[in-house]
Amino acid sequence: MKVNKIKKPNKLKNIEEEKELKAKVPYINQHFIFNTLNSILSLCRQNPEEARNVVVELSNYLRFNFNVTDKSILLQEEIEYIKSYLYIQKVRFGDRLNCEYYIEEDINFLIPKNSLYNLIDNSIKHGILKKTHGGTITFMITRQMEEIVIRIKDDGVGMEQSQVKQILNGENYGSTSNLNSLYKDLYNAKLEVISTLLIGTYITLYIPIEHIKFV
């Protein structure tokens, strides 16, 4: 009589498969989604047209997160994603958050996904919204001589000079330090961080055009 052996599950294999599955599932900020839905709910009675606009921007935000799984994306894709995010945050925080854009639309090349978004998010949470009256975030992308200049400026609470040094020396493992490492490896870019307590922060990337393959 032949006995069928029941194979025991390979725990190691299951763990690896679970890790691989998690890596494919995009990270979505649940608090951001819930807060946005609450904003939409409040607007439905007060301002239905604005509620519709927020739904459209939320749809763009989610579509980007679910559809774009590549580690590198086009700059213009990330810009549209950031604009959707900022539109929603502006609706939520009102006069506490103002957004300005100075972007040359004909500049487009591959960048690490979420690299600029993370800086914008960081500036809002840890800079602007820590001030009672909020402030303004400015997003700039221009071509200057032989460089592409990307600048994210806020008039938030600013940073200590010791924090700035840690960022530039790679001792701080936050969004800005990661940005410095990623863009230096990809494009030999130079990062500049200027920050003053209670005044704000300028984060600027200088990317040599000779190292960029435009699309």
Side-chain angles (χ1 to χ4, degrees):
M1 180 177 177
K2 188 178 180 181
V3 178
N4 293 325
K5 293 183 179 180
I6 300 175
K7 293 182 179 180
K8 293 182 180 180
N10 187 326
K11 290 185 178 181
L12 183 59
K13 183 179 179 182
N14 289 344
I15 290 172
E16 291 301 320
E17 288 177 350
E18 186 177 348
K19 285 183 178 179
E20 186 177 348
L21 179 62
K22 285 182 178 179
K24 291 180 180 178
V25 177
Y27 169 76
I28 301 291
N29 188 324
Q30 294 182 6
H31 293 293
F32 174 72
I33 300 301
F34 293 146
N35 289 331
T36 303
L37 292 174
N38 285 331
S39 295
I40 293 169
L41 186 62
S42 298
L43 287 167
C44 282
R45 291 182 180 179
Q46 303 169 7
N47 191 341
E49 181 63 23
E50 185 68 289
R52 189 191 74 82
N53 293 338
V54 176
V55 169
V56 170
E57 298 300 340
L58 179 60
S59 176
N60 292 337
Y61 176 91
L62 293 174
R63 187 182 300 111
F64 177 88
N65 275 280
F66 284 116
N67 291 348
V68 181
T69 57
D70 296 333
K71 291 183 179 180
S72 296
I73 64 166
L74 292 174
L75 173 64
Q76 292 299 326
E77 289 182 286
E78 179 116 341
I79 290 171
E80 291 307 310
Y81 172 54
I82 288 171
K83 285 182 176 180
S84 291
Y85 169 74
L86 288 177
Y87 186 97
I88 294 168
Q89 293 290 57
K90 170 64 180 171
V91 169
R92 180 183 171 198
F93 292 106
D95 292 338
R96 290 190 64 207
L97 176 62
N98 297 299
C99 309
E100 296 180 351
Y101 302 98
Y102 301 93
I103 297 172
E104 293 184 21
E105 296 182 358
D106 64 333
I107 301 173
N108 205 17
F109 57 95
L110 288 174
I111 65 168
K113 180 184 177 183
N114 285 330
S115 57
L116 302 181
Y117 166 82
N118 288 336
L119 285 186
I120 296 281
D121 184 50
N122 192 62
S123 290
I124 292 173
K125 289 179 179 178
H126 303 295
I128 293 172
L129 294 181
K130 283 193 174 182
K131 292 179 75 172
T132 304
H133 300 295
T136 300
I137 187 164
T138 304
F139 186 24
M140 302 173 61
I141 300 176
T142 59
R143 184 185 278 107
Q144 297 179 11
M145 302 295 288
E146 298 179 357
E147 295 177 320
I148 298 299
V149 179
I150 300 176
R151 176 171 293 140
I152 295 169
K153 167 188 168 187
D154 71 69
D155 55 0
V157 295
M159 292 185 287
E160 298 274 3
Q161 291 310 301
S162 58
Q163 290 178 276
V164 174
K165 287 182 180 179
Q166 286 179 339
I167 290 170
L168 295 176
N169 293 334
E171 299 169 9
N172 180 305
Y173 296 101
S175 301
T176 312
S177 284
N178 289 339
L179 180 94
N180 190 19
S181 176
L182 286 170
Y183 280 81
K184 188 171 184 179
D185 290 342
L186 273 174
Y187 298 122
N188 195 30
K190 177 186 174 184
L191 177 71
E192 180 182 72
V193 180
I194 299 174
S195 189
T196 305
L197 285 176
L198 303 180
I199 300 296
T201 302
Y202 286 64
I203 297 174
T204 309
L205 266 174
Y206 299 95
I207 306 174
I209 289 177
E210 63 178 341
H211 293 289
I212 296 175
K213 184 178 180 180
F214 289 97
V215 295

